[in-house]
């Protein structure tokens, strides 16, 4: 892939080089510690090779930093522009304090049906990847649900439903924190969700929490990927297939997660097997949006694109992408993720104009997610390096997302 500019563009490669120098490691030494070849590391540092998720996780572990550190997250300036930074403390406080007795001076909570509607509104914001809206809405809503649980202190369906709403609210905090790289807060949200999912009377909530924990485990490198696969398999063992569409959708989502984790492990055969299982389930469910997992034939195709890109098989990713048609009413966050994966495959097959068009499309459908997504930063940086003169639209896009 030809590069024509010496303009600094940041990116994972530069941060690896900087940390390697701080640690005093040669390329060979870092390669031995991370089980990545020195030649591969050299190409990544120079920007001549894509740093796949498995490699990033392995190198981060070898350098004794988090994956989010190598990605440059959290992106503070972008968080400030999206009004997210000032909400990190209220989000953390809401989770820290959600087992406390309510303040006697606090107004009474709304009825359960109104709380349900408020939580469903946050689910809509999650699907739209409205991180700023979620960050502002969730702290007072979590406090209100906690207050309602204290009032409904007897076992029963109402208390179970309130715990289910509490689990969904914690999931919203996870979504914000994970997307902006605040991993300590993301893990706190998961621990809170795990506690109340068991009290919700809904075994699918427990499975969804394990799906999310499997996603988060990737931050710990290869051992984390292995843990993620164990979580997926445990969720599949524990969730009885009762034939309900909601259950089938959760089972399908777990199979898709298994496919992505296997691809990041470098196990194409296992990844394909997970995808085949998901494909079979999708034929029975059709397009669904239960638990905001957006499972169905379209999402299976999108995961085939992502899995191939994770394996550095970018030509295959483009072949899969050619079969994708995004429905008009598809959740913006999931559609945006597809265009981000597509741009990654296009930039590493030297389709630079197409890659930039895909990034712009991702920004159109899910602007906040696109601004904070680490793969967008890496793809934009690669596009800048590939230009003898950086075009104004690409320069403006880069400034917008902080590259």
């Amino acid at each position: 892939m030809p590069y024509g500019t010496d303009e600094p563009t940041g990116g994972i490669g530069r941060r690896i080089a900087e940390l390697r120098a701080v640690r005093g490691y040669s390329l060979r030494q870092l390669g031995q510690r991370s089980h990545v070849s020195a030649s591969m590391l050299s190409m990544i540092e120079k920007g001549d090779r894509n740093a796949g998720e498995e490699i990033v996780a392995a190198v981060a572990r070898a350098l004794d930093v988090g994956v989010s550190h190598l990605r440059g997250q959290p992106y503070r300036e972008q968080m400030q522009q999206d009004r997210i930074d000032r909400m990190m403390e209220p989000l953390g406080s809401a989770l820290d304090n959600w087992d406390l007795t309510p303040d006697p001076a606090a107004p009474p909570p709304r009825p359960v049906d109104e709380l349900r509607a408020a939580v469903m509104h946050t689910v809509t914001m999650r699907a739209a990847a409205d991180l700023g809206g979620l960050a502002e809405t969730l702290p007072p809503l979590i406090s209100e649900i906690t207050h309602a649980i204290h009032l409904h202190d007897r076992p029963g369906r109402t208390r179970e439903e309130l715990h289910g709403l509490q689990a969904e609210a914690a999931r919203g905090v996870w979504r914000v924190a994970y997307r902006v790289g605040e991993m300590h807060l993301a893990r706190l949200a998961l621990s809170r969700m795990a506690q109340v999912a068991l009290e919700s009377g809904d075994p699918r909530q427990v499975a969804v929490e394990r799906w999310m924990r499997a996603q988060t485990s990737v931050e710990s490198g290869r051992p984390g990927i292995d843990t993620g696969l164990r979580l997926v398999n445990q969720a599949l063992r524990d969730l009885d297939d009762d034939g309900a569409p909601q259950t089938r959708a959760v089972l399908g989502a777990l199979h898709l997660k298994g496919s992505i984790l296997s691809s990041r492990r470098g196990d194409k055969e296992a990844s394909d097997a997970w995808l085949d299982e998901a494909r079979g389930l999708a034929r029975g469910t059709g397009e669904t949006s239960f638990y905001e997992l957006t499972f169905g034939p379209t999402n299976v195709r999108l995961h085939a694109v992502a899995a191939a890109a994770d394996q550095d098989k970018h030509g295959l990713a483009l072949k899969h992408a050619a079969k994708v048609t995004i429905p008009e009413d598809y959740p913006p966050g999931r559609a945006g993720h597809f265009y981000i994966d597509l741009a990654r495959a296009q930039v590493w097959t030297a389709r630079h104009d197409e890659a930039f068009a895909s990034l712009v499309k991702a920004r159109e459908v899910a602007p906040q997610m696109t601004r904070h997504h680490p793969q967008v930063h890496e793809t934009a940086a690669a596009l800048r390096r590939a230009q003898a003169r950086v075009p104004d639209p690409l320069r403006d896009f880069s400034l917008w997302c902080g590259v």
Side-chain angles (χ1 to χ4, degrees):
M1 182 174 175
Y3 296 117
T5 178
D6 293 327
E7 181 180 355
T9 56
I12 285 176
R14 190 188 73 180
R15 285 186 285 275
I16 291 174
E18 290 173 348
L19 281 167
R20 181 170 63 80
V22 169
R23 301 288 191 269
Y25 297 150
S26 66
L27 281 168
R28 186 173 69 83
Q29 288 171 324
L30 180 57
Q32 289 173 339
R33 292 176 64 89
S34 63
H35 305 289
V36 178
S37 72
S39 59
M40 172 73 78
L41 289 171
S42 177
M43 287 189 290
I44 290 171
E45 287 187 3
K46 294 175 182 176
D48 293 336
R49 182 65 185 264
N50 177 49
E53 295 289 344
E54 184 185 7
I55 291 176
V56 173
V59 173
R61 187 173 182 83
L63 291 169
D64 196 25
V65 297
V67 168
S68 57
H69 187 95
L70 280 189
R71 290 171 174 163
Q73 292 176 296
Y75 308 127
R76 297 295 180 190
E77 183 178 345
Q78 286 68 45
M79 288 171 65
Q80 290 170 359
Q81 292 174 6
D82 287 337
R83 312 183 319 279
I84 298 173
D85 62 314
R86 61 189 175 87
M87 295 307 300
M88 290 298 106
E89 184 175 352
L91 286 169
S93 295
L95 295 180
D96 282 336
N97 299 330
W98 83 351
D99 58 346
L100 294 182
T101 303
D103 183 347
R110 287 170 285 178
V112 174
D113 59 343
E114 292 186 27
L115 290 175
R116 185 190 311 119
V119 170
M120 290 309 299
H121 180 59
T122 70
V123 172
T124 301
M125 286 192 282
R126 288 201 320 246
D130 181 4
L131 304 181
L134 279 171
E136 288 197 55
T137 302
L138 285 168
L141 180 57
I142 288 172
S143 298
E144 192 175 7
I145 295 170
T146 300
H147 193 165
I149 288 173
H150 279 277
L151 295 178
H152 293 83
D153 56 355
R154 293 184 179 180
R157 185 66 199 112
T158 298
R159 186 174 172 86
E160 285 182 342
E161 181 174 4
L162 286 168
H163 279 303
L165 297 180
Q166 204 174 24
E168 285 296 328
R171 186 178 175 189
V173 177
W174 175 85
R175 174 62 60 84
V176 175
Y178 184 79
R179 283 296 178 206
V180 301
E182 295 281 2
M183 299 311 300
H184 291 297
L185 181 57
R187 291 188 176 96
L188 176 60
L190 281 181
S191 71
R192 294 294 191 243
M193 182 179 178
Q195 292 169 5
V196 295
L198 291 169
E199 304 294 330
S200 70
D202 184 354
R204 292 184 289 259
Q205 281 280 14
V206 177
V208 170
E209 185 275 330
R210 288 175 179 159
W211 178 91
M212 293 160 58
R213 201 169 0 142
Q215 172 74 22
T216 310
S217 69
V218 175
E219 300 291 318
S220 301
R222 177 60 180 268
I225 294 173
D226 293 343
T227 298
L229 285 166
R230 287 170 55 202
L231 284 162
V232 167
N233 280 303
Q234 182 175 329
L236 289 170
R237 286 194 302 269
D238 292 348
L239 182 60
D240 292 332
D241 185 0
D242 57 7
Q246 297 93 327
T247 303
R248 285 295 180 93
V250 173
L251 292 171
L254 287 165
H255 281 86
L256 290 179
K257 186 60 64 185
S259 174
I260 292 298
L261 291 169
S262 294
S263 71
R264 293 182 179 181
R265 198 184 189 195
D267 190 343
K268 182 180 185 302
E269 184 176 347
S271 179
D272 289 345
W274 284 107
L275 269 177
D276 285 342
E277 290 287 338
R279 199 173 284 115
L281 286 164
R283 282 194 290 268
T285 64
E287 302 291 354
T288 71
S289 59
F290 300 118
Y291 297 90
E292 202 228 326
L293 293 173
T294 320
F295 179 72
T298 299
N299 207 12
V300 173
R301 296 188 190 100
L302 301 191
H303 275 72
V305 175
D310 282 341
Q311 298 166 38
D312 273 345
K313 299 181 183 299
H314 299 297
L316 178 60
L318 293 178
K319 288 183 180 179
H320 288 312
K323 302 174 184 178
V324 171
T325 300
I326 301 292
E328 289 187 8
D329 60 348
Y330 211 62
R334 195 66 198 90
H337 207 298
F338 164 69
Y339 292 117
I340 291 168
D341 286 331
L342 179 59
R344 172 172 47 160
Q346 289 165 333
V347 77
W348 292 106
T349 51
R351 294 168 168 82
H352 302 140
D353 291 343
E354 294 174 28
F356 182 61
S358 294
L359 290 181
V360 171
K361 185 67 175 177
R363 181 173 63 178
E364 289 174 358
V365 298
Q368 289 187 356
M369 185 191 76
T370 301
R371 187 203 288 264
H372 296 281
H373 201 292
Q375 192 58 57
V376 170
H377 287 229
E378 294 306 307
T379 301
L383 282 172
R384 288 171 66 100
R385 291 192 298 267
Q387 310 290 327
R389 178 184 174 280
V390 179
D392 289 341
L394 175 57
R395 187 183 302 278
D396 292 343
F397 183 93
S398 300
L399 290 172
W400 172 76
C401 69
V403 176

